[in-house]
Amino acid sequence: MIRVQTEDFNQQREYDCLREQSSVGAVVTFTGLVRDMNQGEQVAGLTLEHYPGMTEKSLAQIVLQAKQRWNILACTLIHRVGELTLSEQIVFVGIATAHRKDAFAACEYIMDYLKTQAPFWKKECNSQGISYWVDARESDNSALDKWS
Amino acid sequence: MIKVLFFAQIRDQLGLSELQLPSAENNDLTTLLENLKLRDNNWLSVLSKGSLMVAVNQTMQADNVVLCSGDEVAFFPPVTGG
């Protein structure tokens, strides 16, 4: 299940959905939050812009690729857009598999591809009230090398 | 017509989020990009960045592709979600 939304999400509810099937032996979840410091700036909040249509399409493609690589029993991917304040939840990836190794790997794979392929852009606002676009990190691109 | 979209910094720097271009004069991606760069020095500089990303019909493109009327082309900076 893939969702792009402005509303917050409830981890417990997402986790409960992931573990519904009795064949599930492992659930790995990742949650990304708005951090107070980024690239040397004191962050007060951020706005997430996206490309409606392409976002959903690219997330679906990333999940499909993960499903072709690992035996995934259930997968939930949620990404929020719009204005977010400090410590708010941005992204959730939950993977249910029979065994833990597949769940750890698939979760990391989905985040690595999301960071470089899904059309989201962060505009941060610092403690002085100045807004600026966040630069992409080269380390996010090189993170893909381990999957090739 | 071809629908052209701009996102994030690219949109801010161009001061425009969307435009329509005639498909006859923009029959492939390279030609469309070159035509946009001819608009003025700001367009040339913004669209000449090595980091510029492009999608055609919502799929990322690394190479030139043929364009037809009804296609959607989008230009944007490297993505920063997650």
Side-chain angles (χ1 to χ4, degrees):
Chain A
M1 197 227 338
I2 295 167
R3 303 201 311 259
V4 178
Q5 61 189 44
T6 51
E7 315 86 70
D8 198 7
F9 49 84
N10 180 308
Q11 294 220 37
Q12 185 66 48
R13 198 173 303 145
E14 303 308 332
Y15 172 73
D16 289 345
C17 291
L18 286 163
R19 62 191 286 254
E20 271 173 359
Q21 297 175 58
S22 56
S23 52
V24 170
V27 174
V28 167
T29 69
F30 169 82
T31 310
L33 309 175
V34 181
R35 197 178 53 230
D36 64 359
M37 183 67 85
N38 188 33
Q39 298 175 353
E41 286 278 355
Q42 193 72 40
V43 177
L46 60 82
T47 306
L48 259 155
E49 179 180 334
H50 75 124
Y51 179 177
M54 181 173 169
T55 309
E56 292 80 358
K57 210 167 146 179
S58 65
L59 295 178
Q61 182 61 31
I62 294 167
V63 169
L64 179 68
Q65 285 166 208
K67 285 182 171 172
Q68 286 165 349
R69 252 178 120 123
W70 295 282
N71 190 9
I72 296 173
L73 298 170
C75 170
T76 300
L77 174 51
I78 304 169
H79 204 298
R80 293 178 67 199
V81 292
E83 292 195 9
L84 300 173
T85 55
L86 285 188
S87 302
E88 276 203 81
Q89 304 186 114
I90 305 173
V91 59
F92 176 89
V93 181
I95 306 283
T97 59
H99 304 287
R100 74 181 187 283
K101 279 190 175 173
D102 281 359
F104 276 123
C107 190
E108 190 175 14
Y109 176 94
I110 287 174
M111 273 313 297
D112 283 352
Y113 274 87
L114 183 153
K115 294 285 267 185
T116 54
Q117 309 288 309
F120 292 101
W121 300 276
K122 285 193 187 110
K123 191 175 201 177
E124 286 177 351
C125 180
N126 69 12
S127 45
Q128 284 85 49
I130 298 165
S131 292
Y132 50 90
W133 291 102
V134 173
D135 289 327
R137 290 167 191 265
E138 188 43 45
S139 57
D140 287 335
N141 272 321
S142 48
L144 296 184
D145 294 348
K146 65 175 170 291
W147 305 114
S148 56
Chain B
M1 297 295 273
I2 294 166
K3 185 180 182 182
V4 187
L5 303 171
F6 307 100
F7 290 96
Q9 294 96 310
I10 305 296
R11 178 198 55 236
D12 286 1
Q13 288 159 358
L14 296 176
L16 191 69
S17 59
E18 181 179 341
L19 56 81
Q20 300 274 344
L21 292 176
S23 45
E25 296 143 41
N26 298 279
N27 53 9
D28 65 41
L29 189 56
T30 305
T31 309
L32 180 139
L33 183 58
E34 290 311 312
N35 285 339
L36 290 175
K37 286 180 186 173
L38 291 174
R39 294 191 146 214
D40 68 26
N41 280 342
N42 184 46
W43 283 73
L44 174 65
S45 130
V46 171
L47 298 178
S48 296
K49 286 179 189 160
S51 60
L52 185 74
M53 298 177 89
V54 56
V56 174
N57 297 328
Q58 305 185 348
T59 301
M60 295 258 220
Q61 295 295 332
D63 302 307
N64 193 20
V65 285
V66 171
L67 298 174
C68 311
S69 185
D71 281 348
E72 180 176 293
V73 178
F75 294 100
F76 45 83
V79 302
T80 54

